[in-house]
Amino acid sequence: MAFDIDMIKAVYAGMSEKITAARQVVNKPLTLSEKILYSHLWDGKAKNAFQRGKSYVDFAPDRVAMQDATAQMALLQFMQAGKDQAAVPSTVHCDHLILAKEGAKEDLRSSLTASGEVFNFLESVSNKYGIGFWKPGAGIIHQVVLENYAFPGGMMIGTDSHTVNAGGLGMVAIGVGGADAVDVMAGMPWELKFPKLIGVKLTGKLNGWTSAKDVILKVAGILTVKGGTGSIVEYFGPGAQSLSATGKGTICNMGAEIGATTSTFGYDDAMERYLRSTDRNDVADAANEVREHLTGDDEVYSNPEQYFDQVIEIDLSTLEPHVNGPFTPDRATPISELKAEAEKNGWPTKVEWGLIGSCTNSSYEDLSRASSIAKQAVEKGLKTKSEFGINPGSEQVRFTADRDGLLKIFEDLDATIFTNACGPCIGQWSRTGADKGEKNTIVHSFNRNFSKRADGNPNTHAFVTSPEMVAAIAISGDLGFNPLTDTLTNEKGEQVKLDPPFGAELPEEGFAVEDNGYQAPAKDGSTVEVKVAPDSKRLQLLEGFDAWDGQNITGAKLLIKALGKCTTDHISMAGPWLRFRGHLDNISDNCLIGAVNAFNEETNKVKSQITGQYDAVPATQRAYKAKGIPTIVVGDHNYGEGSSREHAAMEPRHLGVKAVLVKSFARIHETNLKKQGMLGLTFADEGDYDKIQEDDTFNFLDLKEFAPEKPITIEVVHADGSKDVIKTNHTYNDTQIEWFKAGSALNKIKEEAKARG
């Protein structure tokens, strides 16, 4: 029996009428993405067609999901919204705050001690506001959502960029900041710029060593980390139907790494099989009744160039396994070329660790295929030359894999089985020796490989590939090893070759679990008390940000001009800083400490215009704030790439930064800045980035006339008294400008609630 089956049936009941209305106003066949978007309009049936990439549209998502690191700030904000209960089905998943170190049991026990205060807070808030709670150890949010909540044709948002994983079951699932989640949980419309559409036609069928992961690794190489920005990627074609549901989830999951709003697939037999195997026959039966509405129209897929803004075609039959990296997930290298690339670029070829897991690749199928390689190694007298670690995706996956002997195979190869949690993927990894900063290489099945992300060492060269390739490369210990062609020497001195992987799409005996880790909320949470200790180092009740004073910002100083890639990991690091995700002031001490200063090419070292001395970014900014001096941050392209981490917007806002001026933004981060009452601006002329000097002062000349599509002019005064007047653009609409005026979107919600009495 599925969770929230009545809600799912209600979505399907209204789908035909809404899609018919949409087809009439659009006056053409519809993609799957358009069907889902138009059937989730806040105002009901479509009355007019929206412009892709231009129209701001209010939607009514079906559900919300939050992981423990982002849920803290989301729920601290929701507590201020004055609501008794979440307006849509919502869940919290405890998967980020579990450190990988010794192994599953020890690590879970340690994390319950270290983060018990936070887990108790999340549990009590969930209990009070009718939110489902998944305990620590229950699994990684996106795997748990796929197993329990995702449904074809649905729309959900989640406070994690990899919420998009649910596209593997035909959803439009979008990563957002916590303030967006508050809107939906408070029963308000959720706003999104109507996305452009990228179609990916898959032909052929995967074979040999190639996996679903290689599809998205290939796409990332084509589109780059910003090529999908503002777009939904819709996969279709005979190749798409040949993929498993969890394989589809893997592909959608890493769509976050190309900046896509989300990715999705049409409902098919593989999805139906997955629904039935995860005890959701009722969802499968309901989906079958509206099957025609759960995929794109035939005309769309027959002539995709007429209906998508961009079309890519990939033949799965000829696709080669890829290994992407280091330091960016879009540097795509076919395995046959990796050895030469490593030699050319001086990458360390000795592989220290192989890691399997994360929300991208931790399904039963993933473990099954990787274990087939591990089993061969044991049988052929091979041992891993790299250390080896496994993070199962959920307790259901772990329990079933253990029952079927898969975990025993990994253990026979001396692998460490970590907790059902994110672990090393998000920097929650106590890696021995990482503090030495030595140059080294690791391979993993995760989604991101930014500098310092996994272990805090900037010299760790991390490469992204499939679980089966991770296993093969870890066994060889050599980055240049190509299991398609190369042999290995076993304990007897014999040359042996690994056979291609094989595995089960779904467990033959079905899934099993004794305790999946779910805790239902109280039916009436009115008497539940949520306590936050005033002296807590982990949690801090929020105070509203100050409203705009209606005046032009003048005398603003430059905090930092960031050089090159500046992701949310650079703006607000994870790893050990995760423990402060519920305490805005404490976590603000990591604000922009990973960003590279364009003037000295160092991190966390900027010049103060108060003292003329160089200091840490947070300390410098706190000094500006203490003296009431406004500041701005300047950045390069795709600023805020990476996760949905709204702390990357809240921290500079809390510390007194007024505006972020960049060449271009990543989608989620730009929205997060707007939600928190910040100015997110882009250079009208990208060349003006080069005009910004270290001792500059900024005067906003026409902010008092802030209006949609009206550029904002800034006078840049240099230290020698010379000036440059630059034009900046923005994408704020009337509603978002009201957020800015009120000080934040949450302030606006409270204003409106107060006005209603």
Side-chain angles (χ1 to χ4, degrees), residues 8 50 117 131 175 220 272 406 419 449 465 544 596 674:
I8 295 171
F50 299 110
E117 178 187 9
I131 298 168
E272 181 179 353
L406 304 187
T419 316
N449 56 349
T465 189
V596 177
K674 293 177 179 180

Side-chain angles (χ1 to χ4, degrees), residues 539-553:
L539 297 165
Q540 180 187 45
L541 295 176
L542 294 176
E543 297 179 4
F545 293 129
D546 291 338
W548 178 45
D549 63 5
Q551 302 302 308
N552 286 323
I553 298 169

Side-chain angles (χ1 to χ4, degrees), residues 44 62 93 138 179 203 236 253 306 308 435 440 474-475 543 565 603 721 744:
D62 301 312
H93 304 257
T203 61
F236 62 94
N253 182 292
Q306 295 181 27
F308 290 98
D435 57 336
N440 74 102
I475 290 164
E543 297 179 4
K565 187 185 284 285
T603 58
S744 70

Side-chain angles (χ1 to χ4, degrees), residues 24-38:
Q24 289 173 348
V25 298
V26 174
N27 196 30
K28 66 175 183 61
L30 298 175
T31 65
L32 168 64
S33 304
E34 289 171 314
K35 289 181 180 181
I36 297 175
L37 292 170
Y38 276 105

Side-chain angles (χ1 to χ4, degrees), residues 566-592:
C566 191
T567 72
T568 49
D569 279 295
H570 295 90
I571 305 167
S572 175
M573 287 185 177
W577 289 95
L578 282 174
R579 67 188 185 276
F580 296 131
R581 283 284 179 87
H583 198 296
L584 182 55
D585 192 58
N586 282 348
I587 199 171
S588 293
D589 283 333
N590 79 0
C591 185
L592 287 157

Side-chain angles (χ1 to χ4, degrees), residues 641-661:
E641 170 193 343
S643 75
S644 66
R645 201 168 303 164
E646 69 179 340
H647 296 76
M650 294 185 79
E651 290 174 32
R653 177 77 168 102
H654 171 69
L655 293 178
V657 176
K658 300 298 183 185
V660 179
L661 172 59

Side-chain angles (χ1 to χ4, degrees), residues 25-90:
V25 298
V26 174
N27 196 30
K28 66 175 183 61
L30 298 175
T31 65
L32 168 64
S33 304
E34 289 171 314
K35 289 181 180 181
I36 297 175
L37 292 170
Y38 276 105
S39 63
H40 283 84
L41 298 176
W42 178 259
D43 291 331
K45 290 189 294 185
K47 299 176 182 62
N48 56 280
F50 299 110
Q51 284 187 279
R52 296 177 190 170
K54 292 186 177 181
S55 300
Y56 279 95
V57 183
D58 285 340
F59 291 101
D62 301 312
R63 64 177 314 110
V64 172
M66 298 164 279
Q67 41 93 338
D68 50 354
T70 53
Q72 296 171 64
M73 198 56 69
L75 293 177
L76 284 165
Q77 292 176 88
F78 182 69
M79 289 168 64
Q80 291 191 313
K83 302 294 181 179
D84 295 329
Q85 195 168 35
V88 301
S90 303

